[in-house]
């Protein structure tokens, strides 16, 4: 498996994954124009995780340019969840943030209803840092859900 920068040719794959009904309560599906912004923005990295058969997942990072080293793993999804690749995928995304983006802190969020993601994040070494109650409106659900914030520091990653 390898990571590479996304290309405009990957938008169909990204949208096919993000647009799935089972992901709708948890992930935002952006149109091609929205995705195109990430390809040229210095404050974003859109990556494809692939093998010899093609794309298997994608991730979007927010990389503020303020020098603080705080990186957000804003969006991530596998093409086929439940095949036992989640931790390998997540560890590749974590490694990219700390190694390639020189993150000092990596954070992400999860829906309070996404129990699979919550368990995966803790298993990968993230620490639950807080819960924003009734914070995130999810159109697919027609209601507001809690948003959980997870974080990992460089020292924790290095010790892991």
């Amino acid at each position: 498996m390898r990571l590479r920068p996304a290309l405009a040719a990957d938008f169909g794959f990204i949208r096919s994954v993000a647009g799935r009904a089972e992901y709708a309560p948890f992930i935002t599906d952006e149109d091609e124009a929205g995705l195109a912004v990430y390809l040229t923005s210095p404050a974003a990295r859109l990556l494809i995780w692939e093998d010899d058969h093609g794309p298997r997942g994608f991730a979007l990072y927010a990389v503020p340019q303020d020098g603080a080293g705080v990186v957000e793993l804003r969006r991530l999804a596998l093409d086929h969840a439940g095949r036992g690749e989640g931790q390998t995928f997540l560890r590749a995304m974590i490694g990219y943030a700390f190694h390639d983006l020189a993150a000092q802190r990596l954070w992400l969020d999860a829906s309070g209803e996404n129990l699979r993601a919550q368990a995966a994040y803790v298993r990968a070494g993230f620490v639950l840092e807080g819960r924003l109650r009734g914070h995130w409106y999810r159109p697919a659900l027609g209601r507001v859900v809690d948003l959980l914030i997870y974080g990992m520091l460089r020292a924790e990653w290095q010790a892991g």
Side-chain angles (χ1 to χ4, degrees):
M1 300 302 271
R2 62 191 164 271
L3 282 173
R4 65 167 174 81
L7 306 169
D10 295 310
F11 293 171
F13 167 74
I14 293 168
R15 298 219 48 226
S16 74
V17 173
R20 291 187 183 156
E22 65 267 27
Y23 288 154
F26 312 125
I27 191 168
T28 301
D29 178 21
E30 289 185 87
D31 64 16
E32 286 79 2
L35 292 171
V37 171
Y38 302 129
L39 298 185
T40 58
S41 172
R45 300 291 185 285
L46 183 58
L47 300 178
I48 298 293
W49 191 59
E50 67 182 1
D51 63 14
D52 292 337
H53 302 289
R56 302 288 294 278
F58 74 92
L60 172 64
Y61 296 84
V63 186
Q65 304 298 294
D66 61 6
V70 177
V71 174
E72 177 189 2
L73 183 46
R74 183 168 288 171
R75 196 169 304 137
L76 69 160
L78 281 171
D79 188 24
H80 297 289
R83 291 187 177 175
E85 298 176 328
Q87 284 298 301
T88 302
F89 174 62
L90 190 52
R91 290 188 192 286
M93 301 306 111
I94 294 166
Y96 179 84
F98 287 113
H99 185 268
D100 296 88
L101 298 177
Q104 296 302 310
R105 170 182 160 69
L106 176 64
W107 72 278
L108 51 75
D109 59 43
S111 166
E113 298 184 6
N114 192 346
L115 302 180
R116 174 183 269 177
Q118 293 171 40
Y121 299 155
V122 170
R123 201 166 38 254
F126 282 93
V127 174
L128 176 63
E129 296 179 335
R131 175 184 294 263
L132 302 174
R133 298 174 299 145
H135 181 78
W136 193 26
Y137 179 74
R138 300 308 303 151
L141 299 173
R143 67 178 186 277
V144 175
V145 299
D146 291 356
L147 187 68
L148 285 78
I149 308 296
Y150 291 87
M152 182 184 296
L153 302 176
R154 175 176 280 280
E156 294 166 338
W157 172 68
Q158 290 171 326

